[in-house]
Amino acid sequence: MTETELAAALIQLGCPADKADVMARQLDRRARMDAERKSIPYETALQHLVGLMAQGWAAQGRQR
């Protein structure tokens, strides 16, 4: 998944559009680090992080 594709997916999950590119880069970098550190596939690490982000946006939406 490219950073552009990741940014688009983040927007669909609730990420503010003006922050999606930066968040996509950060998530990509963090997923690569986690994958190496935990010896897991990159996709697994990325999926976990995106899931956490989606939960946070969902919770934030309920508080408003």
Side-chain angles (χ1 to χ4, degrees):
M1 177 175 279
T2 67
E3 286 182 12
T4 303
E5 293 169 331
L6 181 54
L10 292 175
I11 291 169
Q12 289 180 342
L13 293 172
C15 178
D18 62 330
K19 297 181 181 185
D21 289 334
V22 171
M23 293 188 106
R25 278 192 299 279
Q26 291 174 343
L27 282 175
D28 177 65
R29 184 174 57 234
R30 175 67 186 270
R32 291 182 191 285
M33 289 178 1
D34 285 355
E36 184 177 330
R37 185 172 49 88
K38 296 177 182 179
S39 298
I40 59 174
Y42 164 79
E43 293 79 10
T44 301
L46 183 61
Q47 185 176 27
H48 173 72
L49 293 172
V50 169
L52 292 175
M53 297 298 294
Q55 288 174 13
W57 293 317
Q60 198 173 44
R62 286 189 296 253
Q63 291 177 352
R64 292 182 184 176

